[in-house]
Amino acid sequence: MPTPQVETVTIDELNCWRIRHGDAELVVAQQGAHIVSYQVDGQPPLIWPNEQAAFKKGKAIRGGMPVCWPWFGNLERNPQSVQAMRQSDEPAKAHGEVRAIDWELLGVGEDGDALLVEFIQPLAEGQLPGWPHNVALKLSIRLDEALNVSLVSYNSGTETVSFSQALHSYFAVSDVRQISIKGLDGLRYIETLENWAEREQSGELQFAGETDRIYLDTPDMLSIVDPQWQRKIHICTSGSKSAVVWNPWTEKTKSFSDMAADGWQGMVCVETANVLDDIVTLAPDEMHVLALSVWAEAI
């Protein structure tokens, strides 16, 4: 196997690593242990590399694969058990505390024919602002024929903890208006853009406007079908029974300073999540692993 190439790079204000393994290239930022991009030579990107993303200290990066933890989205929309974990009168950040702080690189090494990159977040063990709980938090990235990402939460404290979370993946597509998502037919979902009403999906999901849905009791495999790029992106998950599907479309994108006006066309978020009734509750010494594997197949 070719020796992995690991290069330290600075993108504006942030420390990052560019990692080549075989014919794949991965860029990861230290802030948030955030996968910025992932692409196999000769193919379009799999993980959307937002060319207008801001790489500023303390500002979450838009695009790639943000880690949302220990809550997802607006804290006030989370179950009471997740809200009760936070002990602060300050306004809660969207998507939790760990996506805009530095993680510690534990190591980069070979594992058979695969490459393993691991990060830990020491502040999760009792030092996150307003969140005085002890959870050992590790993000592992394994590169083989697929991109494999796992977020491991281990309750190292003496009290039960509850949290919501997501691997908030932005996938690159030729044109979101031309794609579909397979695997959602018949599922219940929450339509957040219409007063959080519960609906049922009929057929494959296609896109004709702003989309922000939480799908419930999801299967462990979803696929993004992209006829123009003649591929399917397969998303295989474990430790998750919910998925968030999001695209901001034209109007919302105008409010983003860190996204091109037409950026919405080239991405779709299919987020591997534990949200609403699918939150995680860990007794002391219990562990949870949220994981996904992503790869493309020609069609």
Side-chain angles (χ1 to χ4, degrees):
M1 183 186 73
T3 302
Q5 297 175 315
V6 182
E7 178 187 4
T8 302
V9 295
T10 301
I11 305 177
D12 199 358
E13 297 179 4
L14 300 187
N15 297 324
C16 302
W17 290 271
R18 179 178 288 114
I19 300 166
R20 285 200 62 87
H21 174 66
D23 58 358
E25 182 174 284
L26 174 77
V27 178
V28 190
Q30 183 174 7
Q31 180 171 282
H34 186 125
I35 294 174
V36 175
S37 61
Y38 172 75
Q39 184 167 7
V40 177
D41 291 347
Q43 299 180 17
L46 270 172
I47 300 299
W48 183 62
N50 177 11
E51 295 180 358
Q52 300 296 318
F55 289 80
K56 301 293 185 183
K57 291 180 179 178
K59 176 179 172 58
I61 304 166
R62 188 181 302 281
M65 192 184 294
V67 177
C68 305
W69 192 97
W71 62 84
F72 177 83
N74 182 340
L75 179 61
E76 295 179 358
R77 283 286 187 182
N78 281 255
Q80 188 57 42
S81 59
V82 173
Q83 295 187 45
M85 291 284 102
R86 188 167 188 268
Q87 299 174 19
S88 174
D89 294 329
E90 296 294 319
K93 297 176 182 176
H95 291 317
E97 293 287 351
V98 303
R99 70 183 183 138
I101 58 176
D102 281 354
W103 289 53
E104 181 181 322
L105 178 64
L106 201 58
V108 180
E110 297 175 39
D111 181 12
D113 288 340
L115 180 69
L116 189 62
V117 185
E118 294 189 312
F119 293 88
I120 57 172
Q121 180 44 262
L123 296 184
E125 297 192 72
Q127 298 178 65
L128 288 177
W131 205 84
H133 311 289
N134 289 280
V135 176
L137 191 62
K138 180 171 74 172
L139 184 83
S140 296
I141 304 168
R142 181 184 171 90
L143 299 181
D144 47 30
E145 297 303 311
L147 170 65
N148 310 282
V149 184
S150 61
L151 183 63
V152 181
S153 304
Y154 170 73
N155 185 356
S156 57
T158 58
E159 300 176 342
T160 297
V161 295
S162 294
F163 54 88
S164 59
Q165 60 180 345
L167 295 169
H168 189 317
S169 310
Y170 288 70
F171 292 100
V173 296
S174 61
D175 185 332
V176 71
R177 295 166 295 188
Q178 305 298 324
I179 68 164
S180 61
I181 299 180
K182 293 185 65 173
L184 300 172
D185 184 29
L187 296 188
R188 294 177 299 129
Y189 67 89
I190 305 300
E191 179 55 89
T192 70
L193 299 177
E194 296 183 18
N195 296 315
W196 292 63
E198 184 173 312
R199 305 275 172 78
E200 182 175 310
Q201 178 68 34
S202 178
E204 296 182 3
L205 175 61
Q206 296 179 307
F207 296 84
E210 182 182 350
T211 303
D212 192 356
R213 297 177 176 182
I214 302 170
Y215 283 86
L216 311 174
D217 297 316
T218 51
D220 59 9
M221 177 77 85
L222 298 174
S223 299
I224 301 169
V225 182
D226 191 336
Q228 284 190 216
W229 280 353
Q230 298 183 321
R231 74 177 185 185
K232 289 182 184 177
I233 299 175
H234 297 299
I235 308 160
C236 183
T237 65
S238 62
S240 164
K241 293 182 180 177
S242 46
V244 181
V245 178
W246 181 73
N247 183 283
W249 219 253
T250 52
E251 289 304 307
K252 181 161 283 186
T253 299
K254 291 177 183 177
S255 68
F256 300 151
S257 61
D258 53 357
M259 190 169 171
D262 61 353
W264 61 273
Q265 294 182 33
M267 52 71 59
V268 65
C269 285
V270 182
E271 307 165 33
T272 302
N274 296 113
V275 295
L276 300 180
D277 292 340
D278 183 32
I279 61 169
V280 177
T281 298
L282 296 179
D285 291 326
E286 286 187 340
M287 181 175 73
H288 180 269
V289 181
L290 176 66
L292 79 158
S293 296
V294 180
W295 69 96
E297 175 190 6
I299 56 172

